[in-house]
Amino acid sequence: MSTDPYLSVKALTKYIKKKFDADPHLRDVYVKGELSNVKIHTSGHIYFTLKDNATRLPGVMFSASAKSVKFKPESGMTVLIRGDVSVYEASGQYQLYAQSMQVDGIGDYYLAFEQLKEKLAKEGLFDALHKKQLPRFPKRIAVVTAQTGAAVRDIIITLHRRYPLAEVVLYPTLVQGAGAVQSIVQSIQAANTSNYDVLIVGRGGGSIEDLWAFNEEAVARVIVASKIPIISAIGHETDTTIADFVSDLRAPTPTAAAELAVPSQAELLEKISSYRSRMYRTVSITISQQQKMLERLTSSFPLAYPERLYRPFIERIERATDSLQRESLQYVSRSKEQYRTFDHRLKSRMPLQQIRQSETDVTELGRRLDYQVNQLLKDRQQQLSSSIRTLDALSPLKIMDRGYSIPYIEGAVVKSVTQVKKGDSLTIAMQDGMIQATVNEINPASKGDVNDG
């Protein structure tokens, strides 16, 4: 039997621990205090100090219990903790082993919601930059919700009623309880592997606990990462979740989500009918206007009496042609007479040798005469061609090609501003059509302006 009265530190600590563990008042305690020195380990354990104005109490909450805490414990929070008090043998100090933790004066769910909302907002996940545009006429629509219940029934019935052209594919999903978060994430990821135009994520109403899966960070991030535009339809109109903030469009109810996803077939048919009527009316008015313009054009002075525009030039050409022919004949006749006279004189006065030389000279003279006659004819032909080009250049239609126009009042050509007055209706002939205009203002040119022009 040992007579040593001294205990080891370990033995004393074990004895004290047994006393703590045996005390029924320390097995289930409720403590209120302020958190400080909060450290959340990668394993999930939470280490903290609980304090009041006078005392500090170290504490720990193991990961198994920490999973039930909806909010993120932070230093400075006043919390309500239920747990037990025991001794940590390695340090020889007693500490609080927390089993549950609540925020004093505010709900755990509300605090967790605000904390995650603030975190994601700082990351910019609520910004309009991340919002995708919904297509106007979707062909394929995916629905992520529970396989049974009012929500899926309302969504599918509304989609088929409003826009039966769209194909609707349901991804049955757990929307509350254990495993709901993972189920929602997997369904959204699965939908993104196919070619859908719109994705509706939703469920019916319920308590905040029932809707809590849509307030989890994993669900928020998979919605942001979706390549398909997402409409959130979670709970009733007054319910708001984190999923609503990160979705591309938020609907107050599942039925409203279906209405936002597709257009109304009845409204589209009504618009098509309205467009058809407007198109027919526009075409009819256009044809009527073009017919009236054609009638005015065909009855206008240049087209109704085109020969009057060319008549003076035609007469000048005819006179020039007659004059050319007449002068040519007279010139030839005079030349022949001169030749005969000259030939007679030569033969009566000159010896044979001179006569022969003269005949040679006469032959040369004849060639020259023919050349001059031909040259004269060419000159006259060139003058005729020049007159024709001048006539073509002076044609009113050619002038119109250069941007000019001819105004008429009741078929008469307007040559001066003195011929019109304010309010007169003018018909303006242009190269490719007619314009009907009304005189609003008359500005006579001064003498200086005319000279300058």
Side-chain angles (χ1 to χ4, degrees), residues 113-392:
F113 175 86
E114 290 298 327
Q115 286 179 333
L116 182 58
K117 179 182 175 183
E118 181 181 1
K119 175 183 177 181
L120 298 182
K122 288 181 178 179
E123 293 183 27
L125 300 190
F126 302 161
D127 296 347
L129 177 66
H130 299 289
K131 307 297 181 182
K132 293 177 283 295
Q133 190 71 28
L134 270 66
R136 188 176 181 186
F137 303 105
K139 296 179 180 179
R140 302 185 72 224
I141 301 173
V143 179
V144 172
T145 188
Q147 189 171 8
T148 60
V152 64
R153 184 176 63 253
D154 293 344
I155 291 173
I156 293 178
I157 290 176
T158 303
L159 290 175
H160 286 321
R161 173 178 55 82
R162 284 177 60 86
Y163 197 67
L165 295 176
E167 176 189 359
V168 181
V169 179
L170 174 64
Y171 285 79
T173 307
L174 291 176
V175 293
Q176 72 179 67
V181 173
Q182 186 64 22
S183 180
I184 295 169
V185 170
Q186 290 176 350
S187 293
I188 294 176
Q189 289 175 339
N192 272 269
T193 61
S194 299
N195 186 22
Y196 292 104
D197 300 303
V198 179
L199 174 58
I200 298 176
V201 178
R203 59 151 293 157
S207 64
I208 187 171
E209 292 85 357
D210 295 336
L211 304 179
W212 192 253
F214 295 94
N215 286 319
E216 294 288 351
E217 184 173 355
V219 173
R221 293 196 180 278
V222 77
I223 290 175
V224 173
S226 173
K227 67 180 181 180
I228 307 170
I230 292 181
I231 302 176
S232 64
I234 301 161
H236 301 299
E237 186 172 358
T238 55
D239 297 322
T240 303
T241 64
I242 296 296
D244 293 325
F245 289 108
V246 295
S247 295
D248 300 295
L249 184 64
R250 188 242 176 181
T253 63
T255 300
E259 293 177 347
L260 292 172
V262 296
S264 170
Q265 178 180 247
E267 292 176 0
L268 290 176
L269 292 174
E270 184 178 350
K271 285 185 178 180
I272 291 173
S273 178
S274 174
Y275 291 153
R276 183 186 294 111
S277 299
R278 288 169 58 185
M279 180 182 67
Y280 287 156
R281 185 165 58 254
T282 301
V283 171
S284 177
I285 293 173
T286 302
I287 291 175
S288 177
Q289 291 175 343
Q290 294 297 325
Q291 286 177 339
K292 291 180 180 178
M293 183 179 294
L294 179 61
E295 291 174 358
R296 288 195 298 268
L297 184 62
T298 53
S299 61
S300 65
F301 180 80
L303 294 181
Y305 308 100
E307 69 279 0
R308 295 188 180 182
L309 298 175
Y310 289 94
R311 186 181 297 167
F313 302 100
I314 293 173
E315 291 177 353
R316 289 174 59 184
I317 292 174
E318 291 177 351
R319 286 197 298 269
T321 302
D322 293 341
S323 176
L324 176 62
Q325 292 177 349
R326 185 170 56 254
E327 290 181 5
S328 297
L329 292 175
Q330 290 177 357
Y331 182 82
V332 171
S333 177
R334 286 196 303 269
S335 299
K336 288 181 177 181
E337 182 63 29
Q338 290 175 359
Y339 173 75
R340 285 193 297 268
T341 302
F342 180 74
D343 181 64
H344 176 72
R345 290 178 179 176
L346 284 176
K347 290 180 178 180
S348 61
R349 297 180 182 179
M350 292 184 181
L352 179 59
Q353 184 177 0
Q354 291 181 348
I355 290 174
R356 289 178 179 174
Q357 180 63 39
S358 298
E359 287 178 351
T360 301
D361 295 339
V362 169
T363 301
E364 179 64 23
L365 181 62
R367 281 198 302 270
R368 292 182 180 179
L369 179 62
D370 290 338
Y371 172 79
Q372 292 179 357
V373 170
N374 292 331
Q375 190 64 37
L376 178 62
L377 289 175
K378 288 182 181 180
D379 293 341
R380 294 298 184 176
Q381 287 176 348
Q382 290 178 356
Q383 292 178 3
L384 177 60
S385 299
S386 176
S387 298
I388 292 173
R389 286 195 298 270
T390 302
L391 174 62
D392 184 62

